């Protein structure tokens, strides 16, 4: 039967920290951090370029978002309405998102106008119903008086 040798015999642990001095370790860590930062910057540049390429047909966005300008591939002379209608035809989800975003301020303005209208409209409806009930009671009283006068003669 063979026994497994202890793990320390198979794998020799190498500790670089014991081989290097403290200033050398700091220099290695600094280089690693600098490389990592360079890689992240390159990835960010690539992601930005991909994003610009993917949304380059959203040129109407510069109308809504200031400072969001794209390079024009070539001006075709179309108006903004034509490009917006093409965009909506190509991407129906964009129109839904735009309507949600644009509807929020409109909802606020509409809510501000509707609240007093509902309040005064409800008050007017309550007064109208009170008037109708009062008129009905008065009409019933007149009818009862007419019946009472006719039956007593």
């Amino acid at each position: 039967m063979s026994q497994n040798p202890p793990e320390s015999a198979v794998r020799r642990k190498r500790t670089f920290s014991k081989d290097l001095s403290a200033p050398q370790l700091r220099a290695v860590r600094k280089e690693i951090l600098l490389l990592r930062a360079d890689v992240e910057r390159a990835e960010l540049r690539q992601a930005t370029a991909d994003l610009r390429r993917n949304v380059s047909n959203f040129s109407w966005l510069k109308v809504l978002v200031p400072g969001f300008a794209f390079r024009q591939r070539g001006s075709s002379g179309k108006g903004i309405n034509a490009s917006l209608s093409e965009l909506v035809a190509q991407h129906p989800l964009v129109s839904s998102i735009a309507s949600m975003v644009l509807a929020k301020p409109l909802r606020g303005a509409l809510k501000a106008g509707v609240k007093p209208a509902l309040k005064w409209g409800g008050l007017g409806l309550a007064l109208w119903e009170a008037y109708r009930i009062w008129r009905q009671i008065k009409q019933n009283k007149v009818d009862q008086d007419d019946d009472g006068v006719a039956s007593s003669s």
Side-chain angles (χ1 to χ4, degrees):
M1 297 203 151
S2 70
Q3 286 184 332
N4 292 336
E7 192 172 324
S8 61
V10 176
R11 292 184 187 168
R12 195 177 117 219
K13 288 186 177 179
R14 282 196 67 164
T15 56
F16 291 107
S17 61
K18 291 181 181 177
D19 296 342
L20 299 174
S21 65
Q24 289 172 332
L25 276 175
R26 281 194 298 270
V28 168
R29 287 183 185 143
K30 181 180 176 182
E31 287 298 319
I32 290 172
L33 289 174
L34 288 173
L35 282 172
R36 187 181 297 165
D38 286 341
V39 168
E40 288 178 0
R41 269 191 233 106
E43 287 175 351
L44 181 63
R45 277 194 301 270
Q46 182 65 36
T48 304
D50 289 343
L51 180 66
R52 284 192 183 274
R53 194 176 327 107
N54 289 339
V55 297
S56 63
N57 58 344
F58 296 122
S59 60
W60 59 273
L61 211 53
K62 67 182 173 187
V63 173
L64 299 176
V65 181
F68 197 77
F70 294 107
R71 284 174 261 131
Q72 296 279 338
R73 288 183 183 168
S75 57
S76 60
K78 292 181 182 177
I80 190 167
N81 291 333
S83 61
L84 283 176
S85 63
E86 286 176 10
L87 178 71
V88 169
Q90 290 173 359
H91 308 284
L93 185 62
V94 171
S95 65
S96 299
I97 292 172
S99 66
M100 278 193 323
V101 167
L102 295 175
K104 187 171 183 180
L106 295 177
R107 273 196 312 260
L110 194 64
K111 192 186 294 183
V114 166
K115 190 174 179 180
L118 283 175
K119 181 173 87 173
W120 291 109
L123 183 63
L125 181 65
L127 288 174
W128 173 253
E129 286 298 320
Y131 172 72
R132 269 192 29 195
I133 292 170
W134 175 76
R135 200 173 64 191
Q136 209 172 25
I137 291 172
K138 192 173 181 179
Q139 185 67 31
N140 286 343
K141 196 182 269 189
V142 169
D143 287 346
Q144 285 177 356
D145 287 346
D146 288 345
D147 288 343
V149 171
S151 62
S152 64
S153 352

